[in-house]
Amino acid sequence: MSVEFQNVVKRYGTAAAVAGISFTVESGTLVTLLGPSGCGKTTTLRMIAGLELASEGRILIAGRDVTSLGATQRDVSMVFQSYALFPHMSVLENVCYGLRRSGLARDEATKGAREGLATVGLAGYDERQPSELSGGQQQRVAVARALVLKPSVMLFDEPLSNLDARLRRQMREEIRELQQRLGLTVVYVTHDQQEAMAVSDRIIVMNAGRIEQQGSPRDLYERPATPFLARFMGESNPARGSVRRLDREQIVVRLSDSEVVVADSAAVDGEATVAVRPEAITVEVAPGPAGALPGTIAKASYLGTHMEYSIDTAAGALFATCPRVERPLKAGDEVALVLASRGVIVVQDQAT
Amino acid sequence: MSSRAPLLWSVAGLLAAVALPWYALQEGLDSGAWLTGLWSSEDYASGLAQIIQHGRWWLAPVLAALAACLAICLVPTSRERCGAWLMIASAAGLALFVAQGLAIGLRGWSADWLVAAFGELAGRQIGTGAGAALVMIALLALLSIGLALRGAFGGDAFVAGAITTVAASILLFTAWPILRILVQAFQDGDGVFRPALLLERLAAEKIWSVRCLVGGGRCGVAWNTLILAVCCAAGTTALGLAFALIATRTGFHFKRTLRVLTVLPIVTPPFVIGLALILVFGRAGLVNQFLDWSMGVASTRWIYGFQGVLLAQLFAFTPVAFLVLIGVVEGVSPTLEEASQTLRADRWATFTTVSLPLMRPGLANAFLVGFIESIADFGNPIVLGGDYGVLSTEIYFAVVGAQLDYGRAAALGLLLLAFALGAFFVQRRVVGQGSYATISGKGDSGLPTPLPDAARRAALWVAVPWAVFTFLLYGFAFVGGLVKVWGRDYTPTLDHYTKAFAIERTADGLIWSGAAWNSFWTTVKLAAIAAPLTAALGLIAAWILVRQRFVGRATLEFATMLSFAVPGTVIGVAYVFAFNVPPIEITGTAMIIVLCFVFRNMPVGVRAGMAAMSQIDRSLDEASATLRGRAPQTLVYVVLPLLRPAIVGALVYGFVRAVTTVSAVVFLVTAEYELATTYIILRVINGDYGIAIAYSCALIVLMLAVILLIQFVVGERRLGRRIAPPLGGRA
């Protein structure tokens, strides 16, 4: 167990930024803290780093209680959103910094730093100034600088947010590859749900200072526990529907006049909030097959790879994506919606 | 917790209590005479000896607390518990230390109720000495360590130590003297406390009379001070704005020359302008002589009085306002002005509805600075005031003159302080809580809008003659030191310089026989001691205020801001009151002058340091911390290299202000420790202008040299460009 939080609270004045959370991070895994801005994920990361001290609760790193220790005394290192490369030092001096402060002699530190730079593919950049590097290269220096300390846990605070979209995908693959190759324990903060799903072994979704749900990327996408999660992990349409249980494993979800059978072992009969994934809606020209949900297209947009439709139905306005771009529908067209069972999720217990 | 720091501090404290004289020595530590009397002599005895041998039982609890700290360090226990106990023991020790220091003075118990409670005391005690001071420092250090061990201040003992050091020193050398002045104002000559006395002193006719308005006669000094300050503040703000607009928003060709103006007041002793004005407008000045020669008008004393002081202050402080406003005018986002123009506003409308309102906080700030500079100014009123008295000169005469009325000086000091703080709060009110900051981390691609023609012409017409005249005044001041007797005999001569700075070569070697050498070397020595202390304390204070979060941070910041607003005259008087009796008895020493320099000039170092530090992304510090850099290492390897310009600024400012200051130190100098400025002022009061001017010019040259030297030694910051992008919203 590399990191363990036990009922940790962080208060600023009277406001609680983190309102009592517990979780663990297994060694050698990459765990992402995901949530909208202001949810407390960065505060949580900074509490692992020791840059903020917890107001209540206990924090353990590698089995040691570090609750009242500052950042310097903890066996962690961090890659900052702004990279925080020291602008008055060369690339090599930057990477050496932590090793020197840990008490290594200059030669050993330089050797370690060179290895670190080679690991991230920046061998030969020793004497450059950070300001002479591109964003992606600066990012790699920051990673190397954190890496060479061989910490119990490495922290990434929104490391990709200053990169452009193309570089972002490349860097996140590099980080994941590095983490798996070296068996690093990583805690990663982002607000980008796609980024989180792409890099993580496990995701901890936070909202308003609490943990909303944690699990594998697939768990969270396919079985969101709350309406917030259904909205936050990918797109979804909230709708009111009713639930009728078929057997232990299956239920029938009814939206207006249309019914769909869904695998679910928890929901109880009655009214329920239902989340419908946009890709689970197949848009057919009316009248469509029996049991389809009739509707009218309110808005249609062409996005190259797919179409996006806003559709008014008796179950409310639904948003759908449709990969068939060769025969687009247009606003005002009458349609019938067929719901796929995998993208219909009952997210809230019946309001009884 | 493996740290040896608490152990070392306890041992150091106990050693100081055993092996150093507890009380202050008349002759100083370096004589070494105390070594033999550490146990037996009452004067030289260490803390322990004082308790056992000389019956000063009240010191025992303090040392017991220190011993308790040592015991706590030796007992193995958990980190938190050790911290808690250390905190309790050291805090108790400190409280006992302060209590005995305040309660027992030169004549035994210091208050009647203490005598009543404990009975007469045989012993008495004089000022704190080396042993006592070290014990107190050790206790403070242990308190910091205790707090840090319990997780306060990010669990970092260095940060905790820095914070307690800054807080304690501000408390001791700024808050305590001001508190003393407050107490003094209520006391009569025998030290008896009489609340009604303050009212009596403040209600005096001489302070509040309005006879200059109704009936003949003079107004009270309070009105004089206020009127002068408001006029000076309004004038310097308007002139400063004109200069700032010209420098940033016009194609004016001599902008660099204008910038030189901003350096002048920093290196000029504040009364030099007054002197130069006397050379031009005085009885024997150029104007009077010309009038006499051309039209036979008898020379007048016109320059002596309100108009003279105001003129001198306007010349002296306009560059300061310029300095404040140039940043403000540059800070107005060009994009906002461009937006205004795309919204159908012409240049004039843009200027009046967008640019000016955005400058409002800056204008209020410049006004405040002008106001405070004016009420704190001592040099110009004493040189040019004639019988137009203001509070600062009045306080001086109450302390130094024949009146020797400390109570009255204290009351007047309080009034001056009240004016300064009043202006300070009014300014904060005007600026309000709303943020006008228009400099964001993002680049601003807009171009500054040129000034509307009318405004440009007005600004040029005011500013250019003013600037020319300022340079002329400095020119006259320079020439004035090179002629025999200004007004009578314009024969060029170096007499004044030789009189002041003669060096004779004799058989015994060089003899510094010039009249000015003594005060000159004292000034240079004390300023050179004070400058690094000022810079260090100021930057450390700035560092903890910007970078650390802790309980009481806002209070500490407010305290440093406040001490900026306290006029020098008040500080000077307060130091006299606070430090001429035990527990801290340092009046008449060089130490009190150095302390006065440091705490008088530190707030500016703090502001400059804070401004510089807030431009350095906080994540750099945090990166260092997560890379095993402890707080002092972060400071040395990361923060200070990036702060070089601010260090230069603080050092230069610390030195130069120490050399040029008059108002605060005029109360603290002695024959042994005479300073350059006070020496010059005395020459001026005696009408000995030649040597005063020569000396002033020498000082200006010295300070320019020092600025260049410091710039050269500390050097520029090695940095291609600042890369830290703005830190995005934090989750």
Side-chain angles (χ1 to χ4, degrees), chain A residues 41 46 68 76 82 88 97, chain B residues 80 619 622 624 628 637 731:
Chain A
K41 59 186 190 296
R46 291 166 60 82
S68 65
V76 297
S82 61
H88 56 300
Y97 186 86
Chain B
E80 273 83 8
S619 62
E622 293 175 347
S624 173
R628 315 280 183 277
Y637 292 113

Side-chain angles (χ1 to χ4, degrees), chain B residues 69 87 167 245 289 325-326 342 504 538 579 589 595 613 641 700:
Chain B
C69 290
M87 198 181 71
L245 289 174
Q289 284 194 330
L325 285 169
I326 197 159
T342 62
E504 284 173 35
F579 300 128
T589 64
L595 283 172
M613 224 167 289
I700 293 177

Side-chain angles (χ1 to χ4, degrees), chain A residues 15 40 79 124 177 195 212 281 303:
Chain A
V79 175
E177 190 271 330
E195 188 180 318
E212 197 84 10
I281 302 173
L303 278 100

